[in-house]
Amino acid sequence: MRWGLFEEGLKPIAALVGLWIGLNITVTVMAESLWFQEVGYSDVFWTRLLTRLVLTTIAVTLTGAFLVGNLIVANRLKYPHPTAPSRTPSSASRHTLSFRYFLPLVGAIALLFGLVVIYYGRDLFELWHPRTLVLPEMPPVPKVFGIEPGAGLLAQMLQSTPIFFLWLGVSAASAIFPGILWAIALALSLGFGLIFSSYWGKFLQFFHPTPFEIADPVFNHNLSFYIFSLPIWELLQFWLTGVLLAAFLSVALIYLVSGNSLSEGRFPGFCQGQLRHLNGLGGLLALAIALNYWLARYQLLYSTSSVTYGASYTDLNVVLWVDTGLSLLALAIGGFTLWKAVFWSKELEIDQFTLQNPILRFGLAYAAIVAIAGYALPVAVQRLVVQPNELARELPYIQRSIAFTRQAFNLDRIDVRTFDPEGRLSWDDIQTNHLTIDNIRLWDKRPLLLTNRQLQQIRLYYRFPDADIDRYTLLKESTRPGDPPTEKQQVIIAARELDYTSVPSEAQTWINEHLVYTHGYGFTLSPVNTAGPGGLPTYYVKDIGLDSPTGNNTTLRTSSERIRASIPIGHPRIYYGTIGDTFVMAPTEVPEFDYPSGDENVSNHYDGVGGIPIASRWRQLLFAKYLNSWQMVFTRYLTPNTKLLFRRNITERIRAIAPFLKFDSDPYLAVANTRLYNSEESLSSPQVEQKNYLYWIVDAYTTSDRYPYSDPGAENFNYIRNSVKVVVDAYNGTVNFYVADPEDPIVQTWESIFPNLFKSLKSMPITLRTHIRYPVDFFSIQSERLLTYHMTDPQVFYNREDQWRVPQEIYGNEPQALEPYYLIMRFPNERSEEFIILHPFTPKGRNNLIAWLAGRSDGTDYGKLLLYQFPKQTLVYGPEQIEARINQDPVISQQISLWDRQGSRAIQGNLLVIPIEQSLLYVEPLYLEAEQNSLPILARVIVAYENRIAMAETLDKALQAIFNIDRETTRETTPPILRPLDRPDVPLNEPLLPLE
């Protein structure tokens, strides 16, 4: 009676909860569909959503039908309550299960069942949350439940009290209240549906595979099988094992606790129907185990049990055969058990749980085979056969790992050359390579950002979140007849974005947040190689709301007319950036804050093509619910032209469109007139006059963790390509994906899945194409792998005879790893300078230079890698040795100590190794910073070459000192220090005077 009333009371509550969930899902789908329509990728959204719905439906239907069906059968076959029916030999086994065996058996099955539920529930919790319905992540395939994963989960639960008691509660409830198994079955069905839907990308790849040009050396499968097919087979195995374990254990619990078994402490035995049911489920479980061992054979290609990554001698000569044998044995057991459950005509019997029981004896025998063959035998072979002759045994497998790792990280395409420093660099060579010299980076982005935040932030709500290195083609100040009118200049560019969190708290109102403070404004552009008066950065573009000294009416100040003619500025409004995480509505009746001009603020109304029109009331209600901002419905400031701009953070924006790509951690701003040479195609709407020239460029990568024999190192993937360049309009928010590596099979697969998502790199406006660069993240990953995998001789690799490392440098007063850096230089025997990224290496355990790696960024050479190796018999100073010489020199170190006094500190900047002709220059800027006011200035430049080191006010003066160019110094300038690098005790000139 009471239960019936309680059940009746639950129905309206359940209906309301269901209605609320349905409303949230409907609102989410409608809002996201409108957003994807705005960015022009509706087909991507609907393909993704429909795939997820199909996968969810299939998984929920199959799982639910199987689990619920087995529970229905079990409830029909279980013993009725309170007394067991009379039994006859034809329907019951010969023996009952006494208290001695019954309670431990029930407890063990209940605990195992609870462990399975917690294991799969944890995976569901980690993989899914409500917003993933339309904004899915791309998680790795979870591990199948087994001995090792189960033991790992148990160890975690022992350290987490809430989860431990949850496990005990689920286990106890399953045994005491079998009715809860229905709820668990439904929860598992829904959970598996949601888990399957999380792998929509894997399923789409499975049905659209692109072959690689290589097969694995063990099974001779094309690598597309491992990249696109194997993850789905493993996911199916994950599902089958979970469903069959849950069904088998729940059915066994129902039978064991049916009737009066728990109260009596004894089980009368399984009847014939129950035995056939358990035999059928056990047979299916054995088939799942067979599939598990069969798939485990392919996992050997990612083994880490030996000296190298991938299948080793023991793996292929022992473990492979053991897994194959255990798979076939489990297949035979499963087939026989199923046949026995379906076709066996005699009466099925089960003895007591003693060693006389044939099923128990057979199970123990199988477990012994698994323990001996699967664990003990490989260990014995590894220690007794392989380790005494490890190099000879593992040699072919080391070769495989080297070859496949180099392929996976694109190291096999590196052009290796010899760089033999001749030490013959002259002043004439310096003059000939003036473009390289003029682009040596003296300003690091860290001191520049500190200076920007002091001098260029203008208002407290503006922020420079980052600065980036790029190159621009500028008009020359003067040219000789026949010389080109332009030249490349390396610069540091920083966007001035709006940070609403910095608005005073008193002004943080809903109107200000969503209608007034809508965008950032402008940028700074600085050459990397010069400093202005007082050692501050030189700015090509700076300030805001001021007239240019050239007389042009622009809101940003340019340093000269040639800069104004070279850099398009327009109205550099930044509605989409790297820190904007609030939605805005524009245009409205409320003027938007545009930029400050003196004591007044200039206002503006947005007229871009970005945003979702929200003039209609139903759209206002929709997005008010979706964004949880009900003021949107009641405000009177909206107009028929008002649009909603949300997801304005560019990283979040592009990840929402293409979550299957990995994105570089450093988006960078580019200033370009995209219509200059592209009248037919532009990133802006052709109907709207281009007023904004700011674009964000983001590098995107295709990755996989399934490339055979490829060593991932510290990464969670072992294959990577910089396959895509993403461009986001900072004003309109339009997003374009350009394929930069059309040979990559993974991006080819995504192109076949989403044919309207990607464009050819050739269709990128040429003014933007000149700003693409070899990405730092990709280059750093390749550099890290190259430290070991430049060794292609397996014996050298085994002994690690030629291991490299990244050198250290002193930045400020702290040692740090030398990071890759961009520069403009001309390679030896090349005709012209180009924009590259460079990283030097030193041998492990030594400090001299051994090689440097360069990534090319310009024109048809984009994406190519060059490795210059130094002769091993020649000593070439490394960064650490140069740093040590600088800091050990009594004159230079004394001068630094004079500056590094109370109230200020000297900061040693990045030490750059600059290849010029067949020689190396070492350049290190020295900054001076007040402790109370972080406004670094460029105080000195240190240059080292061969056996000389010089410190001067400018790079040019330091170079003149190095090459003995006698130039007059005025009283306003300080003569440089020139010291012998190998004899610091011998002075070359007078000490430098203290800085006044």
Side-chain angles (χ1 to χ4, degrees), residues 913-961:
V913 183
I914 311 295
I916 298 180
E917 301 293 344
Q918 287 294 137
S919 301
L920 295 176
L921 275 180
Y922 303 85
V923 179
E924 182 177 76
L926 190 65
Y927 309 108
L928 194 62
E929 180 184 28
E931 291 183 357
Q932 299 299 325
N933 186 13
S934 297
L935 187 63
I937 64 170
L938 181 62
R940 293 292 184 270
V941 180
I942 302 173
V943 177
Y945 173 68
E946 289 297 317
N947 63 345
R948 287 187 161 201
I949 183 170
M951 184 170 74
E953 289 182 334
T954 65
L955 175 63
D956 186 58
K957 292 178 181 178
L959 289 171
Q960 291 172 16

Side-chain angles (χ1 to χ4, degrees), residues 347-506:
E347 184 177 288
L348 297 176
E349 296 181 354
I350 182 170
D351 290 315
Q352 291 190 21
F353 281 73
T354 66
L355 291 180
Q356 301 300 319
N357 186 320
I359 295 180
L360 184 59
R361 291 163 60 185
F362 191 79
L364 291 175
Y366 186 80
I369 293 174
V370 171
I372 295 173
Y375 294 93
L377 184 59
V379 172
V381 171
Q382 181 68 24
R383 292 183 178 179
L384 302 178
V385 178
V386 176
Q387 290 182 356
N389 304 282
E390 194 166 49
L391 178 57
R393 299 287 188 187
E394 302 288 8
L395 192 65
Y397 312 109
I398 294 175
Q399 290 176 322
R400 292 175 182 177
S401 182
I402 293 173
F404 279 80
T405 300
R406 288 174 61 84
Q407 293 166 12
F409 289 91
N410 220 20
L411 305 181
D412 58 330
R413 298 188 179 184
I414 294 178
D415 184 4
V416 181
R417 303 177 184 179
T418 300
F419 190 93
D420 190 1
E422 297 175 350
R424 299 177 182 176
L425 200 62
S426 66
W427 182 252
D428 290 338
D429 294 324
I430 296 295
Q431 296 294 96
T432 302
N433 292 272
H434 69 92
L435 191 57
T436 299
I437 299 299
D438 291 345
N439 284 281
I440 292 177
R441 179 167 58 83
L442 302 181
W443 283 102
D444 185 340
K445 67 180 184 179
R446 282 170 281 191
L448 182 78
L449 280 174
L450 289 174
T451 303
N452 270 6
R453 289 161 185 166
Q454 289 288 329
L455 303 180
Q456 289 296 312
Q457 207 149 281
I458 311 297
R459 293 290 188 270
L460 53 84
Y461 39 76
Y462 284 131
R463 180 179 163 197
F464 290 94
D466 194 16
D468 295 289
I469 305 294
D470 200 355
R471 74 286 196 197
Y472 282 79
T473 301
L474 305 179
L475 292 171
K476 291 182 179 179
E477 293 184 0
S478 61
T479 59
R480 299 176 181 177
D483 287 351
T486 60
E487 65 180 0
K488 291 180 181 178
Q489 174 64 53
Q490 190 174 189
V491 299
I492 302 181
I493 186 170
R496 186 186 290 107
E497 299 189 51
L498 189 138
D499 181 11
Y500 183 75
T501 60
S502 297
V503 173
S505 57
E506 297 82 2

